[in-house]
Amino acid sequence: MLMVANRYTHIADQLRVQIGRGLLAADDRLPSEAELMTEFGASRPTVRLALDILQNEGLIVRRHGSGNFVRQPVERITYTDDKLSEDTRTTVAAAVKVPVSTKVVEADNSLCVLLGVPRDTRLTEYVYRSYQGSTPYSLARIYVPAGVLAADVPRTSASPLGDDVRAALTSSGVQLAATQSRITARLATAEEARTLQIGTGTAVLDIERVSLDPAGRVVEAALLVLPSYSAQAVFTTHSLVRDLEAA
Amino acid sequence: MLMVANRYTHIADQLRVQIGRGLLAADDRLPSEAELMTEFGASRPTVRLALDILQNEGLIVRRHGSGNFVRQPVERITYTDDKLSEDTRTTVAAAVKVPVSTKVVEADNSLCVLLGVPRDTRLTEYVYRSYQGSTPYSLARIYVPAGVLAADVPRTSASPLGDDVRAALTSSGVQLAATQSRITARLATAEEARTLQIGTGTAVLDIERVSLDPAGRVVEAALLVLPSYSAQAVFTTHSLVRDLEAA
């Protein structure tokens, strides 16, 4: 029975090598499941498990009804802090498309906990879905209490993680005194897997970010979901001695 | 063929509910594969895929030769910065056992890049394997150039992530001027899966940490591997205004 596990791992290894060597290049379609079954003398479930592995590693995209394609390698998003200003920020090397949708929602239980507001508080929700080429690679939901900033409706953004909402807060006179980022790794949920065209076995970086004004009120909160192969978070801590020299 | 995927997901769901309700409690042994095959009318590969899912979620531990057990829920490690001092630090709520092994190694390619030292530079390597009860839950490799601090040999530690190496540096007069933590999510490697008793489909938080002295020399580097269910990283950024008030 160990054969089963070894079989699909072996098929995944073979395909990974072909992608690594460029025999299968970005946007190339992989052989069909039927062709792979013949090539490797394997059953359909075995071939599918092999394809699951490659999808979870971010090497292929599975498009329902049209087959499996080698994923365009993406430039990594770097989510970073900038300790001597008030901000976190995002750096992205390549051009991204970021359609933004905006609506007013009422805080559910988890948002009440995140923002420290009473249930049913009205919040503006900004949903940022970023793409590099046609490849989705990040999902960000930003929440701002309705009383803090009126909802405007950006249609697109240059920032995949909502930096322009933070800029809008600052320029409207709301001071971001402290920002806390809570980072965990987990597997994608079924909904995230659909949205990001990844498998549910894909590791994602999950960042909950909360920004406080000088009075300790939460003025912005964000839920960021970044597939493992598309993002890193970088934080730099300087010693107090250096802080004073810099200041 | 969709049946195959639905079948093992269904079995995983049923077992997850039993664990959630406490019908299967921490350290309980799950029914054997043969019993699960009978109970769910499923093949052995299907049962094994269901168990893989639960292992990757950190709900069960698979002990070769003795069966599958409900994993002890662990207190999460919090990896955090302390911006107004020179340090990052780790907080752990519950008692952990941390055996430490120490040896002198020569820098390979990846360590040369991480530490910015020439190939074959001698480094002291401290390997921290932490356990909560009998459950392994973190793996840390700390590297200090041999010229910076003589290798001492701690046998155990209270810190799963090598904070005492940093304390030893500071108390021997080495100043940690800046620390950068680079955080990614990924799936466990086969070796990590063995060491941490997790599946290779488990998401882990991967933290590369580098500390510089005031001259910009790397005096300590760390590779931290934390399974998704046992750790979070938290970083707080204060605005410059608050920095100056605090200073």
Side-chain angles (χ1 to χ4, degrees):
Chain A
M1 275 305 136
L2 269 176
M3 286 290 290
V4 175
N6 288 340
R7 192 75 150 293
Y8 66 78
T9 306
H10 171 75
I11 298 173
D13 289 346
Q14 297 297 307
L15 293 171
R16 193 186 298 107
V17 166
Q18 290 183 39
I19 294 170
R21 290 186 183 155
L23 300 174
L24 287 165
D27 282 335
D28 280 359
R29 190 211 298 252
L30 266 67
S32 69
E33 287 181 3
E35 288 165 340
L36 292 171
M37 287 163 67
T38 306
E39 181 178 345
F40 292 103
S43 67
R44 193 178 293 270
T46 300
V47 164
R48 288 195 168 168
L49 289 171
L51 295 170
D52 281 348
I53 292 176
L54 299 177
Q55 187 188 24
N56 290 340
E57 291 173 356
L59 290 175
I60 67 168
V61 188
R62 310 183 72 172
R63 297 202 178 105
H64 198 69
S66 58
N68 300 299
F69 297 83
V70 178
R71 187 184 281 274
Q72 281 279 10
V74 293
E75 300 274 348
R76 276 197 157 180
I77 299 174
T78 297
Y79 176 83
T80 186
D81 62 342
D82 183 357
K83 205 192 115 296
L84 293 179
S85 79
E86 79 276 24
D87 217 354
T88 59
R89 67 197 146 80
T90 315
T91 57
V92 181
V96 288
K97 285 181 301 189
V98 191
V100 184
S101 62
T102 308
K103 64 178 177 185
V104 174
V105 299
E106 295 187 339
D108 62 11
N109 277 340
S110 65
L111 289 175
C112 289
V113 172
L114 187 65
L115 286 115
V117 295
R119 202 170 152 77
D120 300 334
T121 299
R122 289 164 68 83
L123 309 170
T124 308
E125 178 191 64
Y126 303 84
V127 178
Y128 288 67
R129 286 198 177 81
S130 76
Y131 297 84
Q132 212 171 64
S134 60
T135 306
Y137 82 142
S138 71
L139 179 61
R141 291 175 202 279
I142 318 286
Y143 296 92
V144 176
V148 171
L149 185 69
D152 57 354
V153 189
R155 294 283 178 191
T156 61
S157 174
S159 152
L161 303 181
D163 293 2
D164 47 3
V165 171
R166 300 168 66 79
L169 285 167
T170 304
S171 68
S172 75
V174 178
Q175 198 191 334
L176 305 174
T179 297
Q180 186 171 78
S181 302
R182 185 174 301 272
I183 305 170
T184 53
R186 58 175 175 78
L187 299 180
T189 65
E191 192 196 337
E192 290 161 0
R194 264 193 307 277
T195 304
L196 294 168
Q197 293 179 18
I198 58 181
T200 50
T202 304
V204 300
L205 209 52
D206 174 314
I207 304 180
E208 278 186 12
R209 178 182 68 200
V210 170
S211 294
L212 307 175
D213 70 6
R217 178 179 60 149
V218 176
V219 291
E220 183 246 12
L223 303 173
L224 314 176
V225 182
L226 307 161
S228 51
Y229 49 82
S230 77
Q232 60 183 347
V234 177
F235 290 90
T236 305
T237 309
H238 296 274
S239 73
L240 184 53
V241 174
R242 282 197 118 184
D243 281 359
L244 293 177
E245 282 167 4
Chain B
M1 273 304 138
L2 270 175
M3 286 290 290
V4 175
N6 289 339
R7 193 76 151 294
Y8 65 77
T9 307
H10 170 75
I11 298 174
D13 289 346
Q14 297 296 309
L15 293 171
R16 193 186 299 107
V17 166
Q18 290 182 39
I19 295 170
R21 291 186 181 153
L23 300 175
L24 287 165
D27 283 334
D28 279 0
R29 189 211 299 252
L30 266 67
S32 69
E33 287 180 4
E35 287 164 340
L36 292 171
M37 288 163 65
T38 307
E39 181 177 345
F40 291 103
S43 68
R44 193 179 295 270
T46 300
V47 165
R48 287 192 170 169
L49 289 171
L51 295 171
D52 281 349
I53 292 176
L54 299 177
Q55 186 187 25
N56 291 340
E57 293 173 355
L59 289 176
I60 67 168
V61 188
R62 310 182 71 172
R63 297 203 177 106
H64 197 70
S66 57
N68 300 302
F69 296 82
V70 178
R71 188 184 279 275
Q72 281 279 9
V74 293
E75 300 274 348
R76 277 198 156 180
I77 299 175
T78 297
Y79 177 82
T80 186
D81 62 342
D82 183 357
K83 207 193 115 297
L84 293 179
S85 80
E86 80 277 26
D87 217 353
T88 59
R89 68 196 146 79
T90 316
T91 56
V92 181
V96 288
K97 283 181 303 188
V98 191
V100 184
S101 62
T102 308
K103 65 179 175 185
V104 174
V105 298
E106 295 186 342
D108 62 11
N109 278 340
S110 65
L111 289 175
C112 290
V113 172
L114 186 66
L115 287 115
V117 295
R119 204 171 149 78
D120 300 334
T121 300
R122 290 165 66 84
L123 309 170
T124 308
E125 178 191 64
Y126 303 85
V127 179
Y128 288 66
R129 286 197 177 83
S130 76
Y131 297 83
Q132 213 173 64
S134 60
T135 307
Y137 83 141
S138 72
L139 179 61
R141 289 175 203 280
I142 318 287
Y143 296 91
V144 177
V148 171
L149 184 69
D152 56 355
V153 189
R155 295 285 180 189
T156 61
S157 173
S159 152
L161 303 180
D163 293 0
D164 48 1
V165 172
R166 300 169 66 79
L169 284 167
T170 303
S171 68
S172 75
V174 178
Q175 198 191 334
L176 305 175
T179 297
Q180 187 172 76
S181 303
R182 185 174 301 272
I183 305 172
T184 53
R186 58 175 174 78
L187 299 180
T189 66
E191 191 195 336
E192 291 162 359
R194 263 193 308 277
T195 305
L196 294 169
Q197 293 179 17
I198 58 182
T200 51
T202 305
V204 300
L205 208 54
D206 175 313
I207 305 180
E208 278 186 14
R209 179 182 67 200
V210 170
S211 294
L212 307 174
D213 70 7
R217 178 179 60 150
V218 176
V219 291
E220 183 246 12
L223 302 173
L224 314 176
V225 181
L226 306 161
S228 51
Y229 49 82
S230 77
Q232 61 183 348
V234 177
F235 290 89
T236 306
T237 310
H238 297 275
S239 73
L240 184 54
V241 175
R242 282 198 117 184
D243 282 358
L244 293 177
E245 283 170 2

